[in-house]
Amino acid sequence: AGMAAAFLMEIRRATQSALLVVRYAAAELPSAPVEVSVCADSVEVRSGGSCDAAALPAGVSLAPSSCRGLRRLRGDGLHLRVRLRRPPPAADVVFTLRESLKPNKNYIFYCQSCGDIVVNDRKFLRVLPLPSENWSDLVEEWCCHPNPFARRALHPQHGDCFVGDTFLLLNSRNESHKSKENTRVICKRCKTMLGETVSSGTIKYYVTEVVIQSAEGGFRPTPRSQFVQSIVAQCLLELSSAKSTFRFTIKGDNGKTYILIWLLNSDTLLVESLGSSSSHSDFTLFGDILTPSSGPVGSWNALKVLYQPCIQCRNKELADAWEDDMGVHPLKFPSETCMELLLILGLSTTSLPPSLRCMNSFQVRNSFC
């Protein structure tokens, strides 16, 4: 059985500090005084004759004498802050598509939703990064004469793979996934949108819709929400590291803005008691590719983001301001995926303690990577 009292701990590696929230199900609020014991490697909660204890994951060590700020918030539970004895192990270096795709190796592209083969046994002679989607606008700012690249499209030749922020460009060859009605590229089996045709010889595949494996391997299914979250996390981490940009607009292939995202930090480690009254199953966005080891306590590397939905004309003025801001980076995905992302964000926010769900006018999300 899970703990009657569950805990959620948000650890910051940079400051070696943690926020501990002890949570109770609404029907299990204790009438007797609650005693919280924080040890170096465990947390224990006593109330009346009951006792709930959980050992912390390996590598997480607290300094009990540093506990401060104990308070009880209605709807949340007990809050307190504590220092760490030492920083937890560093998060794994984020996986990037540019690093995983190698020239002169054979790859198979699968539809992420159903596993159908989209591109079979393709060898790339060149794997090249593309500039940002707004690179042409930047050239206008840099050049004192007309844009010399205005009429030069970047289209891959046979054997090329061009890698963008959220997509790959391939020479279409004899691929047969094009929709006859429009430029959408769809899966023959499940009819999911995989990408779009850029020209008569070029197909764009979105990285949220395809799984790329070496020809020697095979398709390994991943839950849809887990896959989307890991891919979006990779995009945010890579761009924030490479370009020092922390604000992003999530746009659909229809040109509409669906979400505004502000990345706060990427050094968070979340520790939560599993099988408890807290809603672990809702923590699905930007999650670890590997499932945590089984046991009473799980831990995840996480991003902390603020977000605002922009559907149905919500936050239009803010979205317009971000649209004109050169410090905001646009990320384009299929419109259906944008709606999936927004739904997961909303579910994840509601799983947090109420006091941690908002910051100013933004909603908060501890987003796993």
Side-chain angles (χ1 to χ4, degrees):
M3 298 172 63
F7 76 86
L8 172 66
M9 185 181 298
E10 182 180 305
I11 297 173
R12 290 292 307 277
R13 289 184 173 89
T15 59
Q16 297 187 40
S17 62
L19 169 65
L20 173 63
V21 181
V22 179
R23 308 173 67 183
Y24 284 86
E28 298 172 350
L29 290 175
S31 56
V34 176
E35 179 183 334
V36 180
S37 298
V38 178
C39 302
D41 58 357
S42 65
V43 175
E44 185 178 281
V45 182
R46 295 178 180 271
S47 179
S50 65
C51 176
D52 293 307
L56 298 177
V60 177
S61 181
L62 306 177
S65 61
S66 67
C67 291
R68 58 183 174 83
L70 178 63
R71 57 179 179 155
R72 180 174 176 177
L73 297 181
R74 184 179 297 274
D76 276 21
L78 301 175
H79 286 231
L80 63 89
R81 293 190 176 274
V82 62
R83 301 283 299 175
L84 304 185
R85 283 187 170 180
R86 57 179 179 271
D92 294 335
V93 177
V94 66
F95 163 85
T96 64
L97 201 59
R98 290 181 174 89
E99 296 174 355
S100 67
L101 286 171
K102 303 295 184 183
N104 299 310
K105 289 190 64 176
N106 290 58
Y107 294 95
I108 298 176
F109 287 29
Y110 299 89
C111 170
Q112 197 280 324
S113 297
C114 71
D116 193 32
I117 293 179
V118 179
V119 177
N120 192 20
D121 203 16
R122 180 78 71 90
K123 177 186 286 188
F124 299 119
L125 303 179
R126 300 190 304 171
V127 179
L128 303 174
L130 285 168
S132 301
E133 287 197 46
N134 60 347
W135 70 274
S136 185
D137 297 333
L138 295 176
V139 170
E140 295 286 355
E141 301 294 329
W142 296 337
C143 294
C144 59
H145 50 78
N147 184 352
F149 307 106
R151 297 183 180 179
R152 297 183 182 180
L154 298 175
H155 294 311
Q157 303 301 310
H158 177 72
D160 288 345
C161 177
F162 292 173
V163 184
D165 293 336
T166 62
F167 61 88
L168 304 102
L169 293 184
L170 271 61
N171 188 280
S172 60
R173 290 173 55 173
N174 295 320
E175 310 300 343
S176 59
H177 292 264
K178 292 171 58 178
S179 169
K180 296 180 180 179
E181 291 77 19
N182 50 42
T183 61
R184 292 164 65 93
V185 177
I186 61 175
C187 174
K188 290 184 295 185
R189 178 189 291 173
C190 68
K191 307 306 179 185
T192 296
M193 177 185 174
L194 305 174
E196 55 192 83
T197 56
V198 177
S199 69
S200 59
T202 302
I203 292 182
K204 173 194 290 185
Y205 290 106
Y206 288 104
V207 295
T208 52
E209 313 309 316
V210 294
V211 175
I212 304 170
Q213 302 283 355
S214 64
E216 294 79 15
F219 178 70
R220 296 187 292 271
T222 303
R224 175 66 182 165
S225 59
Q226 184 179 336
F227 182 80
V228 171
Q229 63 186 321
S230 65
I231 291 296
V232 175
Q234 291 164 23
C235 293
L236 298 183
L237 281 176
E238 186 173 2
L239 289 168
S240 63
S241 175
K243 301 183 180 182
S244 296
T245 183
F246 304 98
R247 290 182 296 160
F248 305 87
T249 55
I250 304 299
K251 292 177 170 289
D253 61 287
N254 56 7
K256 295 181 179 180
T257 298
Y258 284 79
I259 315 169
L260 308 178
I261 290 183
W262 196 326
L263 175 61
L264 291 184
N265 67 64
S266 57
D267 68 339
T268 297
L269 175 68
L270 289 179
V271 179
E272 185 184 19
S273 54
L274 304 179
S276 65
S277 58
S278 59
S279 302
H280 162 69
S281 62
D282 286 337
F283 284 105
T284 51
L285 182 66
F286 308 158
D288 283 329
I289 295 175
L290 298 178
T291 302
S293 57
S294 59
V297 175
S299 60
W300 297 264
N301 295 315
L303 310 182
K304 189 157 195 165
V305 301
L306 305 180
Y307 72 95
Q308 288 279 23
C310 296
I311 59 172
Q312 298 178 340
C313 296
R314 295 178 62 182
N315 300 300
K316 186 177 186 305
E317 290 186 5
L318 183 59
D320 290 343
W322 280 35
E323 186 75 26
D324 297 332
D325 191 330
M326 293 294 290
V328 178
H329 194 87
L331 294 175
K332 182 180 177 182
F333 299 103
S335 301
E336 296 86 348
T337 300
C338 295
M339 291 300 296
E340 287 182 80
L341 190 58
L342 186 55
L343 176 60
I344 299 170
L345 279 165
L347 291 173
S348 301
T349 296
T350 57
S351 72
L352 291 173
S355 66
L356 303 181
R357 294 176 187 174
C358 295
M359 182 179 292
N360 297 329
S361 61
F362 282 80
Q363 299 179 70
V364 178
R365 171 69 176 106
N366 282 323
S367 310
F368 304 142
C369 60

